[in-house]
Amino acid sequence: EIVLTQSPGILSLSPGERATLSCRASQRIANNFLAWFQQRPGQAPRLLIFGPSRRATGTPDRFTGSGSGTDFTLTISRLEPEDSAVYYCQQYGDSPWTFGQGTKLEIK
Amino acid sequence: QIHLVQSGAEVKRPGASVKVSCNTSGYTFTNYGVTWVRQAPGQGLEWMGWISGYNGDTKYAQKFQGRVTLTRDTSTSTMYMDLRNLRSDDTAMYYCARGADNGDYVGEYWGQGTLVTVSS
């Protein structure tokens, strides 16, 4: 199965700064079927980006997905307090679909 | 509006089974598949499997093969996740999620989650 490794584990930034989250796959992801989810405490995950750069409905344009093959990035520009959450990447190109372990983003 | 509403919390003994339902509305049921994901307390997300809304085809994570069955009822637009031989480490929040509007299988619309607690 494809293992996804996210980095960093924890990211602490101030409002207005830019966040760069990485997701590296153990092998090439078919069709670049890579997605990013945001999960706030006590809530279900929310799809932000998929395919790997298409914004889901309602995703602000501050969120940008990029990458291909084995290396993918989620960039959040102009951080806001409500961006504080855990972010997961998921590949859905090859079964079993797998998730990364998550990056916790803290807004100071 | 698209809604996925899951059944309520369950408490089960080890060795028992649980069946979680995911009632969908607001779209054509047979046009989209549904993914099931779980999350143990304080842990990350874990993909369990996927079922086609069109023909009931399924994909399962190897870890759950033989213990989980995904089914659908087209007459009520409801998906089901049946997990057998429960263990304490099956204690988790279980989510269903419908595929994306463009047809991608990734979960775009999520249920509220069902907490399953396995305890003797």
Side-chain angles (χ1 to χ4, degrees):
Chain A
E1 72 176 46
I2 296 177
V3 176
L4 299 180
T5 302
Q6 292 186 240
S7 61
I10 301 175
L11 190 56
S12 184
L13 295 168
S14 298
E17 290 190 307
R18 174 194 300 255
T20 302
L21 286 67
S22 172
C23 178
R24 178 162 291 178
S26 60
Q27 59 194 82
R28 191 174 189 85
I29 295 175
N31 301 305
N32 291 320
F33 280 168
L34 190 286
W36 291 93
F37 293 86
Q38 176 192 67
Q39 188 177 33
R40 297 182 177 122
Q43 295 186 13
R46 170 195 174 192
L47 178 66
L48 295 174
I49 302 282
F50 62 104
S53 57
R54 183 175 181 140
R55 292 187 186 89
T57 304
T59 299
D61 59 9
R62 301 185 295 106
F63 292 84
T64 302
S66 62
S68 65
T70 61
D71 287 292
F72 298 86
T73 300
L74 174 68
T75 302
I76 312 170
S77 60
R78 305 184 307 278
L79 284 168
E80 297 184 1
E82 66 259 30
D83 297 333
S84 180
V86 179
Y87 292 81
Y88 295 94
C89 58
Q90 183 203 16
Q91 70 81 19
Y92 55 102
D94 287 298
S95 184
W97 304 345
T98 48
F99 287 92
Q101 83 280 15
T103 290
K104 184 176 184 179
L105 175 60
E106 298 174 343
I107 309 299
K108 298 174 187 173
Chain B
Q1 271 190 326
I2 295 165
H3 292 288
L4 284 77
V5 179
Q6 298 183 225
S7 49
E10 303 263 13
V11 179
K12 296 291 184 180
R13 301 291 191 199
S17 298
V18 68
K19 192 168 188 174
V20 177
S21 66
C22 174
N23 183 255
T24 73
S25 61
Y27 70 95
T28 302
F29 180 77
T30 52
N31 283 358
Y32 297 89
V34 163
T35 294
W36 287 86
V37 171
R38 77 176 188 180
Q39 186 171 37
Q43 302 302 307
L45 302 172
E46 182 174 32
W47 181 77
M48 298 182 69
W50 172 89
I51 180 169
S52 166
Y54 174 67
N55 58 10
D57 281 354
T58 53
K59 300 178 190 286
Y60 296 112
Q62 181 72 23
K63 175 178 179 177
F64 300 102
Q65 283 277 2
R67 273 210 312 142
V68 69
T69 302
L70 303 181
T71 57
R72 82 199 202 287
D73 183 342
T74 58
S75 68
T76 60
S77 298
T78 302
M79 296 288 190
Y80 296 94
M81 188 281 298
D82 190 355
L83 186 61
R84 300 175 291 282
N85 194 18
L86 290 166
R87 307 185 288 252
S88 58
D89 61 358
D90 290 318
T91 294
M93 186 72 80
Y94 289 77
Y95 295 102
C96 60
R98 199 212 79 173
D101 286 336
N102 73 334
D104 273 19
Y105 291 170
V106 66
E108 181 162 14
Y109 300 92
W110 289 66
Q112 81 278 18
T114 297
L115 181 61
V116 175
T117 303
V118 183
S119 174
S120 55

